[in-house]
Amino acid sequence: MTLLYLDCTAGIAGDMTIAALIELGVDPDLIRRELAKLPFDGYEIGISRATRAGISGTRFDVKIHEDEKRVHRNLHDLITLVKDRGLSSEAERRSISMFKRICESEAKIHGLPVEKVHLHEVGAIDSIVDIVGVAVAMENLAPDRVMASAVHVGSGRVETRHGSIPIPAPATADLLLGVPIFQLDLQGEYCTPTGALILREYVTAFGPQPPMTLEKVGYGLGARDVKRFANAVRALWGAEGGASRVSDVVAIEFQIDDLTPEILGWTMERLFDSGALDVTFESVQMKKNRPGTLVAVLARPEEKDRIVATIFAETSTIGLRFVPMQRIELEREIVTVETPLGPVRFKKSRWQERQIFSPEFESCAEIARRENIPLREVYAIAMKAVGT
């Protein structure tokens, strides 16, 4: 699976994102051709090489004519600009989705119906160009998965038509709900509303860069030239995990001191029936010196509600803890290997350049019973047969 990882530790904006995607191989002329289909021409695109804090990268600069800076657009206006203009169905769908997202955020902030919201900064041509340009570039790259780092949002205040507002701006903050963000002691807006919009539309998980086989790196430079770091979005492209898959999971935990072993055993079975990936019991010392059990369940996020319902139905707990996390799953297949004791089934997987073989328990147990020899001896013979 191909992975696009966006390093937003210096912030993110629409122009920076497009520039980074161009560095990964998107043809700038493709972006220009697609944008030329939109029914306006009050802008010019400049694409150039530059450096930020010693890092060389690409600048994508949209200059708009002075009269366009005074134009305010609502959701209907924005949809009209891109609908049925000859864009691909995917680029059109993504562009409209982002327009709807920003209008919904602004409507929530201002307490207005969505159709009454008029956008200033995001309704300007440069932001429209950035949004549609990203939609075109993302479709061209077609990553299987998009992830991003925690986002540097900047600090201080920014001047708008509504007056001075704190950073991150209200609509930006709304778009970043659930996203890990941080501030440094640098004044200025380092995550723009358009940047937050792109993250919300495309990114499926945030966190440290996962294991990947790196193939390309692109630097999309911003307008600022600060000394402490390169003002750039760094885009990393490659194969996710290199023979592995990174997936989001959630750990669900609770402690209990008033259930019998029979009920706990039954609960484990029901949890697996409900979609749990793993269930473990650990003896713990609880309040009032009572011996108890820590129950830990690992599940996919989409199975969480079903797992929770099972826990509250089958146990007496009145509270749970959730810990979102990620896990690496190596690609695996079942193979049969001939051994001196007969055929043995193995799980075969690979990590980087190393192949990993693991004998299947039932296959080895069947041989141990048939030959009346210790199971560990069967394991040793089987592992020798595969050369490990």
Side-chain angles (χ1 to χ4, degrees):
M1 291 178 63
T2 53
L3 172 66
L4 171 62
Y5 183 82
L6 299 176
D7 180 351
C8 306
T9 52
I12 182 170
D15 58 341
M16 297 164 72
T17 305
I18 294 179
L21 299 182
I22 288 173
E23 290 233 321
L24 291 184
V26 175
D27 185 354
D29 289 337
L30 169 67
I31 297 175
R32 293 180 190 273
R33 286 196 303 272
E34 294 303 297
L35 289 171
K37 297 175 180 179
L38 304 185
F40 53 75
D41 57 6
Y43 68 97
E44 298 173 6
I45 293 176
I47 300 174
S48 60
R49 300 290 297 174
T51 59
R52 296 288 183 266
I55 301 296
S56 175
T58 295
R59 279 280 293 135
F60 183 89
D61 188 28
V62 181
K63 292 183 172 64
I64 59 177
H65 299 167
E66 191 62 34
D67 55 345
E68 275 293 338
K69 295 180 180 180
R70 295 186 291 273
V71 177
H72 304 165
R73 293 180 171 91
N74 59 24
L75 179 58
H76 177 266
D77 297 330
L78 294 171
I79 292 175
T80 301
L81 287 177
V82 299
K83 190 169 180 59
D84 299 326
R85 299 295 179 177
L87 297 172
S88 70
S89 58
E90 173 67 5
E92 179 184 299
R93 181 183 71 83
R94 289 288 194 172
S95 299
I96 292 174
S97 174
M98 286 187 273
F99 292 148
K100 288 180 177 178
R101 285 180 188 272
I102 187 61
C103 288
E104 287 167 358
S105 290
E106 291 284 359
K108 181 162 66 171
I109 297 302
H110 297 297
L112 295 171
V114 171
E115 61 272 13
K116 296 292 185 181
V117 170
H118 283 76
L119 300 176
H120 307 297
E121 288 82 2
V122 180
I125 282 183
D126 53 346
S127 294
I128 297 170
V129 166
D130 288 347
I131 289 169
V132 178
V134 165
V136 170
M138 281 290 196
E139 183 188 15
N140 183 253
L141 280 177
D144 293 318
R145 178 173 163 91
V146 183
M147 294 182 61
S149 69
V151 183
H152 175 218
V153 295
S155 63
R157 305 182 72 84
V158 63
E159 297 299 324
T160 72
R161 285 179 169 84
H162 298 290
S164 176
I165 56 177
I167 294 171
T172 304
D174 183 68
L175 290 166
L176 292 174
L177 289 174
V179 175
I181 65 173
F182 66 95
Q183 292 183 314
L184 299 175
D185 57 342
L186 287 171
Q187 298 288 305
E189 185 179 45
Y190 282 82
C191 177
T192 66
T194 306
L197 193 59
I198 293 165
L199 294 175
R200 179 58 67 195
E201 179 70 23
Y202 287 99
V203 174
T204 59
F206 293 86
Q209 177 194 322
M212 63 186 296
T213 302
L214 192 60
E215 298 173 9
K216 301 177 188 176
V217 180
Y219 292 89
L221 306 184
R224 289 188 180 87
D225 192 1
V226 296
K227 294 181 179 179
R228 289 173 56 178
F229 55 79
N231 181 28
V233 167
R234 183 170 65 163
L236 295 90
W237 176 272
E240 186 171 0
S244 69
R245 180 167 63 91
V246 178
S247 59
D248 296 319
V249 293
V250 58
I252 306 170
E253 297 182 349
F254 64 97
Q255 293 173 195
I256 203 78
D257 63 4
D258 60 353
L259 289 183
T260 65
E262 293 90 346
I263 297 297
L264 281 173
W266 168 258
T267 299
M268 177 182 283
E269 292 182 21
R270 296 291 295 123
L271 288 169
F272 279 120
D273 291 341
S274 299
L277 298 170
D278 198 10
V279 182
T280 58
F281 296 155
E282 180 181 346
S283 295
V284 293
Q285 200 71 19
M286 299 178 60
K287 291 184 292 187
K288 300 181 181 180
N289 292 321
R290 295 174 180 169
T293 302
L294 170 64
V295 181
V297 184
L298 195 67
R300 296 182 180 88
E302 60 268 24
E303 304 291 350
K304 186 182 76 172
D305 291 345
R306 188 185 307 174
I307 298 293
V308 168
T310 299
I311 291 171
F312 284 132
E314 300 290 351
T315 76
S316 57
T317 189
I318 58 173
L320 304 172
R321 295 185 294 271
F322 300 104
V323 182
M325 57 181 65
Q326 292 182 317
R327 70 171 186 169
I328 297 175
E329 302 170 69
L330 298 185
E331 295 176 2
R332 79 271 322 255
E333 60 178 324
I334 300 297
V335 298
T336 300
V337 177
E338 288 296 329
T339 77
L341 297 173
V344 174
R345 294 189 304 277
F346 282 79
K347 285 192 185 77
K348 179 184 176 183
S349 56
R350 183 169 63 87
W351 173 249
Q352 297 176 344
E353 301 304 319
R354 183 168 65 93
Q355 289 189 337
I356 302 170
F357 288 88
S358 178
E360 286 280 84
F361 167 76
E362 292 296 345
S363 182
C364 292
E366 181 182 340
I367 293 174
R369 294 188 193 100
R370 185 185 69 226
E371 301 295 332
N372 194 28
I373 58 177
L375 179 62
R376 60 181 179 177
E377 186 176 330
V378 178
Y379 270 89
I381 293 171
M383 293 303 291
K384 186 176 180 179
V386 294
T388 60

